Amino acid sequence: MSAGVADRHLRALELPVVEAARLLVGCTIAHGDASGVIVETEAYHEREPACHAHIGLTARTRTLFAAPGIAYVYRSYGIHALLNVVVEPEGVGAAVLIRALEPLTGLPAMGRRRGRPRPTDLCSGPGKLTQALDIGLELNEAPLLTGPIRLGPPPGDRPAEQIVAGVRIGITKAVELPWRFCAAGSRHVSRPWPAGLQAPAG
DNA sequence: CATGGGATTGACT
DNA sequence: GTCAATCCCATGC
């Protein structure tokens, strides 16, 4: 096995968070028998105010300042668990929010947990994919290379994804940063890509 | 100890 | 398009 494509998820863990967010599109996330290909990510870094780590080291943000390669899972709006991949060296607060997956395996179980069988309704949002993969707050700080959640390289039989970048969604601070990355043309993203930023057709 | 704000979603007008 | 559900945690008294 040669280095390169197969190690993409490992290289991402060594890079600055914005580059990591771009590289993680196309990689895989699995929990139990359910898995999917990452088709949408966002980068968050302590130096900008939309990041939880911006306020410094607290009980909640401790995870973000830890060594790379673990999960940061937190509750959003009192309802949903959101999954992040912690990156950058220990002591730096940064993480990549996993915003959408293209379902790969375990679709029946995902559909049961989601209460909606349509493939494009299973993992097309940060709160949806954690419900589909049964990822809860108890998995905060779980290692991502040794399980139970597993971050893996892109499936070997898939062509490299074309990636488009845009501004992050659902935040009120630092709204101008183009730190959202999507697989171009994917029907599994959380929201349709703005028409003006659509990747060149064909 | 009380309060308020969300990195969202699904239902509804 | 609007809006409520619901809870962790940071902050302030």
Side-chain angles (χ1 to χ4, degrees):
Chain A
M1 190 66 66
S2 63
V5 169
D7 291 339
R8 191 155 124 204
H9 62 304
L10 301 179
R11 285 196 290 131
L13 297 179
E14 302 294 318
L15 292 171
V17 66
V18 178
E19 294 174 52
R22 179 185 286 273
L23 263 196
L24 285 176
V25 174
C27 293
T28 55
I29 291 278
H31 184 225
D33 293 327
S35 69
V37 177
I38 299 171
V39 296
E40 180 178 348
T41 63
E42 286 177 359
Y44 288 86
H45 192 282
E46 59 169 304
R47 71 175 174 281
E48 47 88 14
C51 181
H52 293 166
H54 189 64
I55 61 174
L57 186 58
T58 67
R60 181 196 205 189
T61 64
R62 179 183 65 174
T63 311
L64 288 168
F65 288 93
I70 64 172
Y72 169 52
V73 185
Y74 75 97
R75 187 164 304 290
S76 173
Y77 289 92
I79 303 170
H80 305 103
L82 269 54
L83 171 68
N84 295 250
V85 175
V86 173
V87 298
E88 304 222 6
E90 184 170 3
V92 179
V96 176
L97 172 67
I98 307 302
R99 285 195 57 92
L101 307 176
E102 176 182 330
L104 206 54
T105 65
L107 274 70
M110 291 191 200
R112 251 178 278 124
R113 286 189 285 262
R114 289 277 301 128
R116 288 147 196 278
R118 281 177 56 219
T120 50
D121 285 338
L122 295 179
C123 300
S124 55
K128 297 177 185 178
L129 70 90
T130 55
Q131 185 183 23
L133 268 62
D134 195 24
I135 292 172
L137 299 197
E138 73 281 359
L139 291 173
N140 186 42
E141 299 192 311
L144 293 172
L145 298 179
T146 58
I149 308 172
R150 298 176 303 284
L151 173 67
D157 58 345
R158 293 170 68 98
E161 318 261 2
Q162 189 83 5
I163 306 230
V164 287
V167 296
R168 296 175 295 182
I169 291 174
I171 56 173
T172 58
K173 300 168 221 168
V175 295
E176 74 286 355
L177 295 176
W179 286 6
R180 176 186 178 215
F181 300 96
C182 289
S186 174
R187 287 171 284 110
H188 299 271
V189 296
S190 65
R191 288 165 59 168
W193 203 256
L197 294 178
Q198 205 65 255

